[in-house]
Each structure stands twice: as C-alpha cells, then as structure tokens.
Amino acid sequence: MKYYRVHSEDIAYLTQQPRGIFTAIYKLVEAKILSEDEEKEYWRNREYFEKELPVPPFYENGNPQNAITWFKDTEDGNRIYQELEFYRNMASKYGLKLLMTECEEIPGDIIYEDDYQIAVMNQKKDLKTRVTSVC
C-alpha cells in the first residue's frame, strides 16, 4: 500500500519532522496572516475535518510519542486529501510551499490506524520516498 504526507518544509519542534498540512495552515492562522473571512473559513474547515477525519487519541495527551500521520492510498484517505482544497489554496495564496512525500512501505512503527490514515513513530531512517510539490 502507498502512504503519503502533505507537509511544509518547516520542521515541527515536537516531532522533528516536516509540519503536516493541518498544522502548517494553522500556523498561518496563528500568525494572523489570513484575512478575517479566510480565518472564519479556516475554522469551518477545521470543524468539518475534526468530525470527518478521526483525530488520533495520542493528540489528547500532547503527542508524547512524537508521532506523525500519513494518509493511506485508499478511497477514504484520498477523498479526505481532495477535500483539503481550502488548505492548499491558502498555502498557495500566502506562498507556503507544500510538498507530498510518498512511500510504498509502512514508514515506521504504527501506533494508530483508521480507514484514512496511519500514525507512526520511529520513522525509518532508510525509508525510500518520493517528494513532489503540491503548491
């Protein structure tokens, strides 16, 4: 199975991995870069995704395992990715480069899995990936 992450080039302090798309766009909100209307749309989108995409339980504890999530190349995973249009548009509009990293193997030790995604810790150092630009 293929797995993929959509992320910025910024390295997250906690995980020491590139920031995923959700956190990357939240950083634009936090920095007050989005317009008032865009920020409202951000919160609408966030509410939708928090209902539609299961939030791995380790986030409730502040992600003590420093896990990162990867979408699964499944109907559900790909649908959610397609629905991230607002996030991709905000990244593009504000010059935030987004990349997609793909791999054909489980990228680390799975600590969570659902129909959409996996969360891994201890990402393999020799993981073979392909990185492409999203925007």
Side-chain angles (χ1 to χ4, degrees), residues 6-75:
V6 180
H7 57 86
S8 69
E9 295 178 304
D10 297 331
I11 301 299
Y13 174 77
L14 182 64
T15 64
Q16 293 301 298
Q17 294 291 324
R19 279 196 179 105
I21 187 170
F22 291 107
T23 303
I25 300 306
Y26 176 69
K27 291 294 182 184
L28 296 177
V29 173
E30 192 175 59
K32 301 290 186 199
I33 292 172
L34 275 60
S35 72
E36 187 177 325
D37 287 342
E38 290 166 342
E39 187 171 337
K40 287 177 184 173
E41 184 63 22
Y42 166 82
W43 289 108
R44 281 191 291 274
N45 274 271
R46 181 169 168 167
E47 182 180 350
Y48 169 78
F49 286 111
E50 286 179 351
K51 287 179 185 171
E52 188 67 23
L53 178 65
V55 177
F58 56 81
Y59 284 123
E60 293 174 12
N61 300 323
N63 192 5
Q65 296 100 338
N66 300 333
I68 58 171
T69 55
W70 292 72
F71 286 109
K72 294 164 71 172
D73 185 14
T74 62
E75 185 176 333

Side-chain angles (χ1 to χ4, degrees), residues 5 7 97-102 129-134:
R5 292 193 76 225
H7 57 86
K97 185 176 181 179
L98 290 179
L99 301 169
M100 180 182 288
T101 298
E102 301 171 274
T129 62
R130 183 171 70 104
V131 180
T132 56
S133 181
V134 173

Side-chain angles (χ1 to χ4, degrees), residues 3 52-60 63 65 67-72 106-121:
Y3 302 93
E52 188 67 23
L53 178 65
V55 177
F58 56 81
Y59 284 123
E60 293 174 12
N63 192 5
Q65 296 100 338
I68 58 171
T69 55
W70 292 72
F71 286 109
K72 294 164 71 172
I106 296 171
D109 299 329
I110 295 177
I111 63 167
Y112 174 83
E113 183 169 8
D114 59 41
D115 292 339
Y116 305 87
Q117 63 193 333
I118 59 171
V120 301
M121 54 186 260

